[in-house]
Amino acid sequence: MTVTCSEHPASLQGRPAMRRKVADAAALAAGYVALAMIAVPTIWVVAGVLQRAVPGWSWGVLTHTGAAGAGGLENEILGSLVLTAGTLVLAGGVGVLAGIYLAEYATGPAGAVLRGASEVLAGIPSIVLGYVGYLALVVALHWSFSLAAGLVTLAVMTVPYVMKSTEVALRQVPSAYREGAEALGFSPLQALRRISLRTALPGIVTGILVALAISVGETAPLLYTAGFTSANPSAALVHRPIAFLTYAIWTFYNQPSKSAVQLSFDAALILLVIVLLLIVVGRVIVSLSERHAETR
Amino acid sequence: MRRTALEPDPSDLATSRGHESSYPVLEASSLRLQFGSTTVLSDLTVAIPRGQITALIGPTGSGKSTLLRTLNRMNDRVKGFSHDGDVLLEGESIFGRNVNLMLLRRRIGMLFQRPNPFPMSIGDNVVAGVRAHRIAPRKQHRAIVEARLKEVGLWDSVSGRLADSPFRLSGGQQQLLCLARALAVGPDMLLLDEPTSSLDPGSVETVEALLRKLVPALTLVVVTHNLAQARRIAEQTMFLFGGRLVEFGPTAQLFESPNEPETMRYVTGRIG
């Protein structure tokens, strides 16, 4: 078979075809639109919260407990922080270990089952998980509304994100690193700990951050499992309800008193700050761990 | 030189044999290597002489790298890989049931075609193996870093930036760093898989000169596609072709008056 090429023009002079110019402009425009679709709502939300929270802001909300739209938000803040820290330990631990298992050890059906299960889990609406948590933990196990019930529910919800990001990050570790470690006589565990996990850390941290951001901003499952209280969190894992910020946002906003609405916006502002801090901490960890990375 | 048995059992052949230079350090007997049902190399019986550089030459697909990677058992985890026959290190089988792979690889180090420093500081790279094998207390690491970097001639250019990323170094410097890292665990032997093929000519010269300095303290096995390199650095040359060992002998003889017609055709550039 003969292949014929169209002849190239004799001269280098000439304008790019109109079609290419249009396509170029369209792609650029689409990029800007996409950027705007991310940036505008973000700025809108932050500005809206600031605008409503700041004028009536009082530092007292940080140091006073309260309920039903009066007093402060100390109980909610501490409750959310405890829940977030607990998720970090529980979902972070389980998720990272499961991710390591999937990336390094799982071969055949076991891995496929775990992967499939986690995808299904990630797809279950959080309110359904909350209700299941309510039936299983609060009622069947007699934990009542409690820190443990809330934590376990949040952890179940967020483990898939941590697991997936850990697995993906570990799979992206260049095989040259592993081979180098192996050839140097590292044990498999040493290679994993000193080379693979270190290299994968940015990806793992990002996954944990997403999990934490979800858990700190989640309302539905906690309504079913954590309950609410005007008291600060205690050491009790079960039988004692625990407050959280999104409850305040959700409930106080619908109350008639002006102070309750103000508290609701204060809670939203504090939540934004917490999420922002999480992101900053994550960025710092990522950039520290990447200072010797190949792709920088 | 330090000798650590691969197995805890002291009654291995190595001790009764002694380590005089007349004995080969590594011997392969009736070795056959295959991936799945494809035989890569068969019926290989050869003794690698101690304290010399042995070059492994042969066209692509002749099994050079597979053989090299078998010698420190890097093929173990490769899917479908299997072997027959045996490889003895100082008379002791490297495939023995109780062989400690960590110890084997501490004694037989490896350098790869592309430099592969770890994503940690230059200094940490040098002592990565030292740490893994707990060879020296932490306070000696600094001295080890300096000694090894001096040994490979990198010290002057990196002494001021030991905490920096190794990926800012040139390719040649990265390879030297990897060599320093391999030397730091005190191997008896180094396997080098085309160690200079990704380097610029200047770095090639540096690395080759360095390799010459490592013998006779160490035994080196170098896979190379570069026949001129084999002639420059190797005392012994092994020619693999068509899945078998065609010829093994002193480099000069193999290149100038080979016994086998295939060797002649390969070294004169008519096959390959």
Side-chain angles (χ1 to χ4, degrees), chain A residues 10 30 72 80 120 127 166 169 173 182 191 196 205 259 268 278 287 290 294:
Chain A
S80 275
V120 172
I127 193 151
T166 303
V173 174
E182 227 180 300
S196 300
V205 168
S259 68
L278 277 176
S287 80
E290 274 183 344
E294 200 163 351

Side-chain angles (χ1 to χ4, degrees), chain B residues 119-242:
Chain B
M120 49 180 78
S121 74
I122 293 173
D124 285 345
N125 259 285
V126 178
V127 290
V130 175
R131 285 212 172 108
H133 294 284
R134 298 199 177 84
I135 290 173
R138 181 174 282 269
K139 58 177 189 276
Q140 286 177 23
H141 286 177
R142 172 83 198 192
I144 293 175
V145 168
E146 182 172 345
R148 295 305 177 178
L149 287 176
K150 278 183 173 157
E151 192 174 356
V152 300
L154 259 188
W155 177 251
D156 291 336
S157 47
V158 305
S159 61
R161 44 184 178 138
L162 293 177
D164 280 8
S165 163
F167 299 106
R168 306 222 179 98
L169 301 175
S170 74
Q173 289 176 318
Q174 288 186 26
Q175 193 65 307
L176 291 175
L177 177 63
C178 293
L179 186 58
R181 180 177 74 185
L183 290 173
V185 297
D188 301 339
M189 214 177 148
L190 278 186
L191 308 173
L192 305 101
D193 194 354
E194 300 187 46
T196 59
S197 65
S198 68
L199 306 185
D200 65 279
S203 304
V204 172
E205 211 179 318
T206 313
V207 172
E208 284 183 3
L210 200 57
L211 297 183
R212 286 305 317 163
K213 279 198 281 182
L214 293 177
V215 289
L218 297 187
T219 304
L220 308 188
V221 181
V222 185
V223 164
T224 180
H225 267 121
N226 182 340
L227 297 181
Q229 178 171 61
R231 294 186 77 154
R232 281 196 299 268
I233 64 171
E235 280 95 351
Q236 306 286 330
T237 298
M238 200 185 289
F239 173 52
L240 301 179
F241 182 66

Side-chain angles (χ1 to χ4, degrees), chain A residues 69-262:
Chain A
L73 293 167
E74 191 188 5
N75 48 328
E76 288 92 343
I77 297 170
L78 292 178
S80 275
L81 290 179
V82 168
L83 283 165
T84 308
T87 309
L88 173 65
V89 173
L90 213 58
V94 174
V96 168
L97 288 176
I100 291 173
Y101 172 76
L102 279 182
E104 306 281 326
Y105 303 100
T107 47
V113 167
L114 185 54
R115 234 172 254 124
S118 118
E119 271 157 28
V120 172
L121 194 57
I124 297 177
S126 61
I127 193 151
V128 175
L129 283 180
Y131 191 58
V132 171
Y134 172 75
L135 292 179
L137 307 173
V138 176
V139 177
L141 287 181
H142 305 292
W143 285 2
S144 315
F145 289 124
S146 58
L147 172 61
L151 256 187
V152 169
T153 309
L154 281 182
V156 166
M157 211 182 81
T158 50
V159 152
Y161 299 94
V162 181
M163 187 179 100
K164 190 79 203 167
S165 62
T166 303
E167 184 193 358
V168 169
L170 279 174
R171 284 188 189 281
Q172 282 170 352
V173 174
S175 58
Y177 294 175
R178 290 164 207 263
E179 282 205 321
E182 227 180 300
L184 210 50
F186 280 49
S187 70
L189 200 64
Q190 284 174 329
L192 177 69
R193 208 162 54 79
R194 296 181 194 200
I195 307 295
S196 300
L197 280 180
R198 240 172 133 162
T199 314
L201 192 66
I204 297 173
V205 168
T206 306
I208 291 178
L209 270 186
V210 170
L212 292 185
I214 289 174
S215 72
V216 78
E218 196 53 70
T219 324
L222 289 177
L223 288 174
Y224 274 118
T225 53
F228 187 76
T229 171
S230 59
N232 279 336
S234 68
L237 277 176
V238 294
H239 303 309
R240 287 277 302 271
I242 184 163
F244 50 98
L245 278 167
T246 47
Y247 179 92
I249 300 174
W250 160 248
T251 322
F252 297 175
Y253 184 71
N254 291 319
Q255 287 178 0
S257 80
K258 258 187 128 175
S259 68
V261 175
Q262 172 67 40

